[in-house]
Amino acid sequence: MTKTKQPLLHPATWPLFYGYVVAFIGTVGIWASVPGQTIGVSTFTDPVKDALGLSRDQFSAAYMIGTLVSSFLLSRAGRWFDRYGARKVGFWAALGLSITLFLSSFSNLISGFIQTSTGFHHWGIPFTVMMVLFFMLRFSGQGILTMSSRNMIMKWFDRYRGRVNAFSSVSVSLGFSISPLLFDLLIQKWEWDGAWRVLAVSVLVIAVFIYLLYRDNPEEAGLIPDGEYGNRQRNVKPRLTLRQFTSKEAFATRTFWIYALILSFNAFFITGLSFHVVDLFTSAGYERAEAISIFLPISVISVSFSLLFNFLSDYIPLKYIFYTMVTGAFVWSLGITGLSGGWGPWPTMGGAGIMGGLFAVLNAVAWPKLFGREHLGAISGKAMSMIVFASALAPVFFSLSKTLLGSYTAMGWLGIVMVLFLTVASIKATDPQKL
């Protein structure tokens, strides 16, 4: 009997388990989302707002509205992932991000053309242009490309999910950390518009590789999660078949909302801290250099906790990781309330590092482990929508705390209230696979 010859790029023809290829190219896909992430956009803030004639408040408001609108549509994007798969969704997201970056590089010219054509010269025109572009950046980059890439990796692994996510999350963390420096070098060499065009071409190249190498799940290629070798390991108990929850069933559980809320808590408070870090620390009596320097120890703590708990997630109940993250949130909140009272920056840095490290764990491994892989897009898309929504609100809430109350201490007390609520609410949040 003649054996059917497989196409060259078919996952079954590779000499190693194709899941490792997926882990690598999926991580590259997440890297490609950086221009649509807050850390990527922030490098362009000053030159772009100046070129468009917008104030910092106007530019920030356009960013907030664009992000909020994108958050409302991410649940639908999750359903696209379930329906069309990681390859198609990831490719179109990367292509959309590339096109958006190219359009963004001409944002000042687009704004000027509209004003000249209409005869209406007002800051509302560049504001609207950037609001639309920010929506496209956040929706395609931070939202769809990140979600589809991460979910694809998680669908290719079961027993090794935590270990593989350790590689991916640490790589992403390091890549995101160096991106502001890289983007700044591009801006210095080619100006802000040229830098965005360079990034547009780079993302377009990655989109091609996404189309060639992304695969939705191992079963469609005749393979199994973890690969044959991973399932032949000695002294490993076979995994029980997981119940595949629909999105409606998952959203009806307390567990989904508890995990989604702690992830949103992290997004809200870390975004608020990052956005206002200089003013937050200088108003508490610290130097600007001290404020900027907190991100290095936060990154070290975050990577350490991410590595440790990604490996542990293959062996321990997720609730242990949840409570560790809640503890980090409590320490962070106490640190903010006592920052101007002589406590020093370490509680703030320690809590932020713990939360950031465990965010990378839970946001990846929790949804497939708790609810199965079949409707992963819709379930994780809802959580991503909440995360993005929370991150959009954070800068405004922190700013209002300073404006209305004279300090950021109220944000610490808000954090403590949220921690107490999540702790009490989580008592009955059991693993849905064990019900």
Side-chain angles (χ1 to χ4, degrees), residues 32 37 169 188 205 212 230 255 267 276 318 340 362 405:
Q37 304 279 355
S169 60
Q188 291 180 33
V205 172
L212 293 174
T255 303
H276 296 283
L318 290 179
S340 59
L362 290 181
L405 302 175

Side-chain angles (χ1 to χ4, degrees), residues 67-82:
T67 302
L68 283 174
V69 175
S70 75
S71 73
F72 297 139
L73 298 178
L74 282 175
S75 293
R76 181 178 296 275
R79 292 194 289 272
W80 294 342
F81 177 86
D82 290 332

Side-chain angles (χ1 to χ4, degrees), residues 137-154:
L137 278 173
R138 303 290 277 167
F139 186 61
S140 60
Q142 185 203 25
I144 304 179
L145 184 55
T146 303
M147 178 192 65
S148 59
S149 301
R150 182 183 291 118
N151 283 347
M152 176 186 66
I153 297 171
M154 295 301 98

Side-chain angles (χ1 to χ4, degrees), residues 342-410:
W343 289 23
W346 278 104
T348 303
M349 293 189 296
I354 293 170
M355 282 198 296
L358 299 187
F359 176 90
V361 180
L362 290 181
N363 195 35
V365 306
W367 311 123
K369 191 169 184 178
L370 293 171
F371 302 109
R373 298 182 297 143
E374 189 171 334
H375 301 281
L376 182 58
I379 294 169
S380 64
K382 181 70 171 182
M384 179 66 78
S385 176
M386 294 171 61
I387 291 167
V388 173
F389 183 84
S391 69
L393 293 179
V396 175
F397 271 71
F398 273 70
S399 181
L400 289 175
S401 173
K402 177 67 181 299
T403 301
L404 300 178
L405 302 175
S407 74
Y408 296 97
T409 303

Side-chain angles (χ1 to χ4, degrees), residues 4-87:
T4 304
K5 187 176 180 180
Q6 298 285 8
L8 179 62
L9 293 179
H10 193 280
T13 65
W14 288 66
L16 74 167
F17 175 52
Y18 195 78
Y20 298 114
V21 178
V22 164
F24 174 77
I25 190 62
T27 301
V28 172
I30 300 174
W31 283 343
S33 75
V34 174
Q37 304 279 355
T38 300
I39 196 170
V41 174
S42 62
T43 315
F44 290 85
T45 296
D46 288 318
V48 176
K49 75 175 181 62
D50 292 343
L52 290 166
L54 292 172
S55 69
R56 187 174 298 276
D57 287 343
Q58 292 164 349
F59 194 79
S60 299
Y63 182 72
M64 181 190 72
I65 295 172
T67 302
L68 283 174
V69 175
S70 75
S71 73
F72 297 139
L73 298 178
L74 282 175
S75 293
R76 181 178 296 275
R79 292 194 289 272
W80 294 342
F81 177 86
D82 290 332
R83 183 175 181 179
Y84 300 110
R87 185 185 188 186

